[in-house]
Amino acid sequence: MPTVHTVEQGEHLPAIAARYGFANYLHLWEDPANAELKELRKNPNVLYAGDHVTIPDIEVKSVSCSSGALHRFRVSAPGVLLRLIVRDASGEPVANTDCDLEVDGRRERVTTDGEGRIEREIPSTAREGHLKIKNDEIPIEIDMHIGIGHLDPVDTVTGQIARLNNLGYDAGPVEVPADEEEAARNRSAAEEFQCDQGLKVDGVCGPKTQDKLKEAHGC
Amino acid sequence: MAVSDDASQESPDEASADESDTAELDEQVKLGGEAALHPAKDFFMLAVGPATADEFNTVQQDLKPLACVLLKDSRFEFDSSFVSPRTRTQMKALARLRAERPGAVLSLFGHADPVGDDEYNKKLSGRRAQAIYALIVRRTDLWEDLFSNPAGGDDWGTDAIQIMLQSLGFFEGEAEGNLDAETREAVKQFQAEQGLAVDGQPGKQTRKALFKAYMDAICVDQKDQPFELDPAADFLARGEDKDGKGDYQGCSEFNPVLVFSQAENEAFKKDKDKTARNEANRPNRRVMIFLFPKGARVIPGKWPCPRAKEGTADCRKRFYSDGDQRRAFGPERREYRLTRDTFACRFYDRFARVSPCEAGVEAAPRCHISLILLSNSGCMPLAERPYKITISDDRVLEGTTDKEGFLQHDDVPPGHYTLEIEEHTTSVPAIPVFRTRREHQVPGFLLFTEDDVPPAADEGPNPLEEDPMVAMQERENDASATA
């Protein structure tokens, strides 16, 4: 009987798949039992706490081989990437700039490419990291904790706030606004984004705003 | 050359005796009021989705001021863009802030009160911003522009000449705007000192020299030395636009810090004598100087604010969707520092929101110090160690970090403070309460010396790197050798 896993904050499908012994998350994503989830979320990397993922039974495959010989088994597992595009305050890509990137404890010096992109293959179980960039010439100063998989879908309030923050609009803490002041702050960020994008300015992240948010942010 | 501030209109806290100037500035710069650092910037978590196809995540820097200087109405002559000698105090504060934040770049925002229409007030607020900009970069031509082109009640006139001469010690009469004998004599003395033609007439050449001398007398640092900034380096738009777009602008009456109640406004309307109304409106008439991080820069073409000389059309594009309601007279009197909802311009509001000068130090985000202290390498928490943080002369916080190296202190004014932990010192920020705790590496705090580091364990061959065939052969060889 297949298990149902309830998504927790910070989980994404490749991580969930790995947890249940699947090297390839597509086994879950393509499973007909998850068709509704796939339709709703569209991006397997951006799920929402409370979503239900059906975990199919693991098919045990058996292969006959002779003993005393070496046999290679290649696991086809699509890579999971951490892909960031860094921009300065005027929206220009921060190109060819050194950064300190840490993922799950492993630290390295990386350099953004000509389009400000950082791309790193990461284990599907990676949960968090840290990004540090400091360059007074551009200028750019980033010293942020990265929550891999913590991005909520764009049709959720927290997903909208997180994207606005990432895009530099300072929408406030990534949580449902606790009081009127926080709600006003969210709206102000949303309005500023709408104004910059040439959308109707009303502070409400409706479908058009969400589409633009997703487009501008990248996912 | 004597320089005097006219303190006759001052309330005691605006008096400018030199000794109390510096002490007052210290208080101002730390605690808000008329010059302040903004709360220390902190970074939230970057929530990202990993990519299995084309997706990416954008990380974009925001443009936020790091400090502010407020020039209240009293820093200008009544209803005028002419800069009063009382501005000296604020120029000293500006110099002080730039010493604390070297290279910070400026943009100026002038504000008018709601009396008069939007367009008129846009012009007026722009003129005051222009006057301060010109002062700081010594553009006497911009002052000449303001002098020669009066706007409504804003007419510099002979009063301005008299005030300048008085400040520089050439004139001791009343600045009443009459070019009388005493004034002409003062002009002559100034002209003589400057090597100009001595005719007692404050014409263009005389004005140019007078403006410059007066600017040098007001725009001084704490040591009373004149300072000036470079329009091509020290302002947000780098002086790229000849009319100052991005460097200075007027916000008309769109961002009042005080909005009367409807009842109050009606009462003012009925009163033929507008003195009470003008006095009540004073807080709204101001110029804000925002300081941005060194290196910050905007392209004039992309900057939303129109030029100081232009109309209000572009301002409205950046209004909140309920902008006009925000600045309208309502059932109650409203003050920005209490309600935070009086500014119509969203673009400006987002800069001013955490400015102690605009929002008041009481309403600034509550800050605390919330840190996990780590060793120099950033790998190890400094657990269960005593520390000391100095907030001010009479407030020192002491404690011991917990098992995870964590410490927290609430109700700390925004800013950076010195933390001492076992002979090491570091500077730590007080951050707004809703920001997550941050990790902080203490430089120089080494937990291990080279002698302490154990030798790397022998891990054996890396199974991912070796050629399996060779490895297997080697293992077989080993096995047969030891057999």
Side-chain angles (χ1 to χ4, degrees):
Chain A
M1 182 57 189
T3 347
V4 173
H5 173 87
T6 309
V7 175
E8 287 171 35
Q9 178 60 12
E11 287 191 324
H12 51 85
L13 205 61
I16 296 170
R19 183 170 153 174
Y20 285 92
F22 292 84
N24 188 343
Y25 75 93
L26 287 170
H27 283 306
L28 277 65
W29 194 237
E30 306 290 338
D31 191 301
N34 287 317
E36 226 180 88
L37 178 72
K38 187 176 175 192
E39 179 59 35
L40 174 66
R41 295 300 175 213
K42 300 190 177 58
N43 181 349
N45 300 305
V46 178
L47 302 178
Y48 199 45
D51 283 348
H52 295 297
V53 180
T54 302
I55 315 292
D57 296 325
I58 293 196
E59 278 175 38
V60 180
K61 209 163 142 177
S62 53
V63 175
S64 308
C65 311
S66 51
S67 58
L70 180 73
H71 303 276
R72 284 198 209 195
F73 295 92
R74 186 164 290 149
V75 175
S76 117
V80 175
L81 297 169
L82 177 63
R83 190 183 284 130
L84 306 172
I85 297 199
V86 186
R87 296 184 183 276
D88 65 19
S90 54
E92 295 303 306
V94 174
N96 308 313
T97 303
D98 287 338
C99 325
D100 283 317
L101 178 67
E102 183 225 307
V103 175
D104 263 5
R106 211 166 140 227
R107 223 167 249 221
E108 56 177 329
R109 205 100 240 255
V110 300
T111 311
T112 56
D113 70 8
E115 271 131 57
R117 188 181 359 233
I118 297 173
E119 205 171 285
R120 271 287 167 285
E121 190 153 334
I122 53 173
S124 52
T125 47
R127 308 283 313 243
E128 43 189 30
H130 200 92
L131 178 67
K132 236 180 182 160
I133 315 177
K134 189 161 157 67
N135 185 314
D136 289 340
E137 305 294 304
I138 297 170
I140 185 100
E141 189 184 353
I142 292 183
D143 183 2
M144 288 164 151
H145 193 69
I146 306 177
I148 301 172
H150 280 265
L151 184 68
D152 287 338
V154 74
D155 57 357
T156 60
V157 171
T158 43
Q160 289 148 19
I161 296 173
R163 285 174 181 77
L164 287 168
N165 281 341
N166 293 359
L167 288 164
Y169 287 94
D170 190 19
V174 181
E175 58 197 36
V176 174
D179 56 27
E180 180 47 38
E181 189 164 335
E182 284 306 319
R185 188 186 179 150
N186 292 166
R187 273 202 307 276
S188 148
E191 282 200 7
E192 199 66 6
F193 175 76
Q194 289 169 328
C195 190
D196 284 340
Q197 295 286 333
L199 294 164
K200 171 161 165 252
V201 176
D202 61 6
V204 177
C205 291
K208 287 202 182 111
T209 308
Q210 289 174 28
D211 281 344
K212 276 281 183 195
L213 260 179
K214 202 161 153 190
E215 193 189 313
H217 179 259
C219 68
Chain B
M1 200 164 73
V3 184
S4 64
D5 289 17
D6 180 5
S8 56
Q9 270 176 277
E10 299 293 318
S11 55
D13 63 339
E14 286 180 319
S16 57
D18 280 354
E19 292 77 31
S20 63
D21 244 17
T22 326
E24 195 194 328
L25 272 176
D26 281 341
E27 280 306 290
Q28 285 180 359
V29 172
K30 271 211 154 81
L31 295 176
E34 292 183 46
L37 294 164
H38 285 204
K41 184 172 183 176
D42 194 43
F43 299 97
F44 46 78
M45 176 180 70
L46 184 66
V48 302
T52 47
D54 295 338
E55 315 92 45
F56 57 93
N57 299 274
T58 303
V59 186
Q60 182 156 339
Q61 185 85 88
D62 59 355
L63 179 67
K64 275 262 161 64
L66 48 78
C68 52
V69 179
L70 170 64
L71 282 84
K72 291 185 178 171
D73 188 52
S74 58
R75 310 295 175 185
F76 296 89
E77 286 307 306
F78 178 70
D79 218 17
S80 169
S81 54
F82 176 65
V83 181
S84 159
R86 290 182 288 274
T87 301
R88 266 179 80 228
T89 326
Q90 296 316 96
M91 291 301 108
K92 289 185 175 186
L94 176 62
R96 164 73 185 273
L97 279 170
R98 285 196 93 247
E100 293 208 12
R101 297 285 184 268
V105 298
L106 277 60
S107 192
L108 279 58
F109 294 82
H111 303 277
D113 69 29
V115 174
D117 66 43
D118 290 354
E119 296 302 327
Y120 175 72
N121 281 325
K122 170 85 176 52
K123 196 167 183 179
L124 226 51
S125 54
R127 286 168 66 93
R128 279 189 165 182
Q130 177 175 328
I132 300 297
Y133 174 78
L135 167 66
I136 298 173
V137 300
R138 302 296 194 277
R139 286 269 310 260
T140 53
D141 63 312
L142 290 177
W143 275 22
E144 179 62 34
D145 175 42
L146 293 168
F147 183 94
S148 310
N149 300 299
D154 178 9
D155 182 354
W156 287 28
T158 310
D159 326 44
I161 307 287
Q162 287 167 327
I163 291 171
M164 289 190 278
L165 288 168
Q166 189 175 63
S167 259
L168 295 167
F170 292 95
F171 181 68
E172 271 153 43
E174 287 299 305
E176 277 170 349
N178 298 320
L179 193 56
D180 55 17
E182 199 183 345
T183 309
R184 281 200 303 274
E185 185 52 38
V187 174
K188 279 186 186 164
Q189 283 178 24
F190 175 74
Q191 287 167 326
E193 197 193 79
Q194 293 280 326
L196 296 162
V198 178
D199 62 3
Q201 292 299 320
K204 238 178 141 177
Q205 289 307 313
T206 306
R207 286 200 295 269
K208 184 172 174 178
L210 186 54
F211 290 156
K212 178 70 168 52
Y214 181 66
M215 287 176 175
D216 282 339
I218 308 182
C219 190
V220 296
D221 61 24
Q222 288 129 286
K223 299 200 175 89
D224 278 317
Q225 293 306 303
F227 78 91
E228 59 184 270
L229 297 185
D230 178 359
D234 298 325
F235 285 80
L236 200 55
R238 305 292 193 274
E240 260 189 39
D241 181 273
K242 67 172 180 61
D243 290 315
K245 192 161 155 62
D247 292 333
Y248 62 94
Q249 43 267 315
C251 298
S252 185
E253 55 187 84
F254 299 143
N255 303 314
V257 286
L258 168 60
V259 181
F260 303 144
S261 68
Q262 227 155 12
E264 281 177 302
N265 192 47
E266 290 306 313
F268 284 136
K269 269 170 133 173
K270 289 205 179 87
D271 194 346
K272 291 244 164 70
D273 180 355
K274 302 299 181 190
T275 316
R277 181 202 61 185
N278 290 338
E279 192 53 36
N281 252 326
R282 275 194 105 182
N284 292 324
R285 303 194 288 272
R286 65 205 193 279
V287 173
M288 282 294 303
I289 304 179
F290 282 124
L291 282 76
F292 293 87
K294 176 180 168 184
R297 183 177 188 157
V298 300
I299 311 292
K302 282 184 169 180
W303 181 249
C305 306
R307 296 173 176 84
K309 290 183 187 302
E310 291 173 332
T312 61
D314 281 353
C315 294
R316 292 186 175 281
K317 292 183 187 162
R318 288 283 159 169
F319 270 28
Y320 278 103
S321 46
D322 61 346
D324 283 317
Q325 276 138 271
R326 287 165 149 258
R327 63 183 180 119
F329 305 115
E332 308 266 306
R333 170 188 259 233
R334 285 178 296 136
E335 282 183 57
Y336 185 71
R337 63 182 184 88
L338 297 172
T339 60
R340 310 289 200 90
D341 67 352
T342 59
F343 292 172
C345 176
R346 184 189 55 240
F347 185 72
Y348 181 78
D349 191 39
R350 291 168 58 75
F351 287 154
R353 208 163 43 195
V354 294
S355 155
C357 297
E358 292 282 65
V361 76
E362 319 87 27
R366 274 172 38 244
C367 291
H368 62 179
I369 299 178
S370 177
L371 302 168
I372 298 174
L373 291 183
L374 303 173
S375 67
N376 183 68
S377 63
C379 300
M380 298 294 295
L382 299 176
E384 287 164 344
R385 287 161 204 274
Y387 63 85
K388 199 168 85 162
I389 305 177
T390 308
I391 305 294
S392 68
D393 286 337
D394 29 282
R395 190 173 172 202
V396 176
L397 307 169
E398 289 183 351
T400 308
T401 54
D402 72 5
K403 281 197 290 294
E404 285 158 11
F406 177 65
L407 66 95
Q408 174 151 330
H409 290 274
D410 295 329
D411 271 322
V412 178
H416 282 80
Y417 305 98
T418 308
L419 179 145
E420 295 160 59
I421 178 165
E422 294 181 18
E423 295 103 54
H424 297 275
T425 36
T426 181
S427 175
V428 298
I431 58 177
V433 163
F434 51 76
R435 301 290 197 201
T436 49
R437 69 176 69 171
R438 61 185 295 179
E439 292 182 345
H440 185 92
Q441 278 168 246
V442 181
F445 203 128
L446 299 160
L447 283 176
F448 302 109
T449 63
E450 277 185 20
D451 302 327
D452 291 338
V453 176
D458 184 5
E459 289 173 19
N462 184 343
L464 294 173
E465 279 175 4
E466 61 184 5
D467 180 345
M469 292 309 295
V470 169
M472 198 157 122
Q473 193 62 48
E474 279 177 344
R475 274 195 288 278
E476 283 182 6
N477 294 344
D478 284 345
S480 54
T482 55

